[in-house]
Amino acid sequence: MGRVANKVAFITGGASGLGKATAEMMAREGAKVVIADRNVEGAEAVARQIGPAAIAVALDVTNEQQWIAALDATEAAFGGLNVLVHSAGVGVLKSVEDISVEEWNFVHAVNLDGPFLGNKHAIPRMKAHAPGSIIIISSVSGIIAGHNMSAYNTSKAAARMLAKTTALHCAKRGYNIRCNSVHPTFIDTPMVQSMLVAGGDPAKVRQKLESQVPLGRLGEPDDVAYCILYLASDESKFVTGAEFVLDGGITAQ
């Protein structure tokens, strides 16, 4: 216990899925957590569940002014910021030929512009409370492509590179802020559950997804949260610009 004691962690998409699991784990390990989500009611429910060590803030990650307001609220509540976790994400299962410009822009706005805006406005605050750690949840789809994932693939690949350029920027400036990316495969979250339903027969779609994973199952949210916890903690103080693949062996094939 206490692996991130006395740290303040800001988590986007914290109302559900990987963000929620990460917030709960961070709090159990001693951090004060900020649950940021456009689903304010959901964020508030998670904060109440965690208790006094958590607050909820409204955040559309594509909105620069909301980022500034949410980070201001973080500093007002907890006096600083040490960890930033970019968990908010969206996907559209369409090929490069079928996706609309509006869908393309939306996916990139959430998955890429969101982390960019967060890093831009969080880094000046984090360097005053170093050491700091930024974790971008990308995807195995940012490393390997799918025929019907044009916007998701490209946005997650760009997020991977954003982590690396941010890591080098902070290292060159001597900020003592690290930045890394995490690349999960299918994790049993509401986003994947919606994919199962959209496929028509959830049981068959789940079986198909599991058959692609050498370990033979979908990942669990805590499988990812434990990796994020390591990257948020001082245990990973020499790790920056790296990518952590949590794919049950998919990319080893």
Side-chain angles (χ1 to χ4, degrees):
M1 303 297 288
R3 293 172 66 187
V4 285
N6 303 315
K7 293 186 183 293
V8 177
F10 187 105
I11 302 160
T12 73
S16 64
L18 298 181
K20 179 175 182 287
T22 299
E24 292 169 344
M25 187 173 288
M26 291 275 198
R28 289 196 300 270
E29 292 290 341
K32 297 179 176 66
V33 295
V34 180
I35 316 299
D37 207 293
R38 60 182 180 178
N39 174 7
V40 180
E41 290 185 1
E44 289 174 344
V46 175
R48 284 194 301 271
Q49 175 187 330
I50 291 173
I55 64 169
V57 296
L59 179 64
D60 173 348
V61 296
T62 69
N63 186 309
E64 185 172 17
Q65 293 308 310
Q66 287 191 25
W67 266 108
I68 294 169
L71 292 169
D72 284 344
T74 299
E75 291 187 316
F78 295 133
L81 177 63
N82 310 106
V83 178
L84 173 60
V85 180
H86 294 291
S87 181
V90 295
V92 174
L93 294 179
K94 290 189 178 180
S95 72
V96 67
E97 188 175 10
D98 298 328
I99 194 167
S100 70
V101 172
E102 292 75 19
E103 290 168 326
W104 174 273
N105 288 340
F106 174 64
V107 172
H108 284 82
V110 174
N111 295 350
L112 180 59
D113 296 353
F116 156 68
L117 290 169
N119 290 6
K120 176 178 176 62
H121 291 289
I123 287 171
R125 301 164 190 261
M126 293 176 73
K127 66 185 182 183
H129 303 279
S133 178
I134 299 171
I135 300 111
I136 300 177
I137 301 182
S138 177
S139 170
V140 71
S141 296
I143 299 172
I144 57 175
H147 69 95
N148 63 341
M149 305 175 73
S150 56
Y152 192 72
N153 282 147
T154 53
S155 66
K156 290 300 188 178
R160 168 179 174 266
M161 196 55 64
L162 175 64
K164 293 181 185 298
T165 188
T166 299
L168 293 178
H169 165 74
C170 290
K172 293 291 186 182
R173 295 286 178 94
Y175 290 163
N176 197 15
I177 299 171
R178 299 175 293 105
C179 186
N180 296 283
S181 59
V182 176
H183 299 260
T185 187
F186 313 114
I187 307 296
D188 201 352
T189 62
M191 179 184 287
V192 170
Q193 288 296 331
S194 67
M195 289 174 56
L196 301 183
V197 173
D201 186 331
K204 285 187 176 180
V205 177
R206 185 184 185 96
Q207 185 177 32
K208 181 179 179 181
L209 294 182
E210 290 176 340
S211 71
Q212 298 176 47
V213 182
L215 287 182
R217 65 172 177 87
L218 301 186
E220 300 169 1
D222 275 0
D223 293 332
V224 181
Y226 275 116
C227 181
I228 294 169
L229 174 64
Y230 165 71
L231 292 171
S233 77
D234 293 338
E235 298 163 12
S236 57
K237 65 183 185 299
F238 199 56
V239 179
T240 196
E243 53 199 53
F244 287 72
V245 180
L246 309 174
D247 70 350
I250 288 177
T251 55
Q253 298 179 96

